[in-house]
Amino acid sequence: MSIRPFHLAFPVIDLAETQHFYQTVLGCTLGRTSTTWIDFNLFGHQLTAHLSPAEVQPVQTNPVDGKAVPVRHWGVILDMADWEQLADRLKQHDVTFVIAPYVRFKGEIGEQATMFLLDPSGNALEFKAFRDDAAIFAS
């Protein structure tokens, strides 16, 4: 089965800050834009940031593997090389991580490299990688 691009629309407080973060820090390419939204290409997936400050809410957390994981979050599962490259890129941009890059569930089913960060509007993003994609849905 081939995976098709995913689309996600999300609220932001400031479009200029959002564009800088997604384009410069994360390395997304820019798609269509308007005065109230911006499309980004994030690893082949279409993100649409909509200007809607009233919709932006603080993110609650739940404990996972001894860390406070943001409940509402989204992201991309990368291959390990791309995950490591993104982690390095984010560190070079002095990103403050909610959960710094590390390997979660080490030695267990579902072992994964993961990192969490917030965009300028407080939207939580997770990027993860598995050494073997068969572990993505392993239980």
Side-chain angles (χ1 to χ4, degrees):
M1 177 174 100
S2 72
I3 303 290
R4 300 287 302 146
F6 185 80
H7 168 69
L8 174 73
F10 59 100
V12 298
I13 296 169
D14 180 284
L15 286 177
E17 267 189 330
T18 299
Q19 181 174 340
H20 173 78
F21 177 80
Y22 283 89
Q23 191 173 19
T24 304
V25 178
L26 286 181
C28 295
T29 55
L30 197 60
R32 293 179 305 274
T33 65
S34 85
T35 57
T36 59
W37 55 266
I38 302 173
D39 281 341
F40 298 100
N41 175 345
L42 177 67
F43 298 101
H45 302 284
Q46 184 191 47
L47 305 182
T48 305
H50 283 274
L51 184 61
S52 186
E55 293 284 325
V56 176
Q57 299 294 321
V59 177
Q60 303 300 311
T61 63
N62 275 342
V64 177
D65 193 35
K67 310 269 191 216
V69 169
V71 172
R72 184 180 38 85
H73 68 270
W74 52 270
V76 179
I77 299 173
L78 303 170
D79 65 35
M80 196 59 74
D82 287 341
W83 183 88
E84 290 168 346
Q85 187 176 32
L86 179 60
D88 289 342
R89 178 187 185 99
L90 295 170
K91 289 173 188 174
Q92 289 170 359
H93 282 277
D94 295 319
V95 166
T96 301
F97 292 96
V98 173
I99 298 174
Y102 85 109
V103 176
R104 173 168 50 192
F105 308 130
K106 203 167 192 119
E108 299 176 32
I109 293 172
E111 179 178 314
Q112 59 195 261
T114 186
M115 61 182 138
F116 285 82
L117 56 141
L118 301 177
D119 75 7
S121 296
N123 294 300
L125 290 80
E126 177 187 19
F127 295 95
K128 61 170 77 177
F130 296 81
R131 296 230 179 265
D132 177 4
D133 283 351
I136 294 172
F137 295 107
S139 59

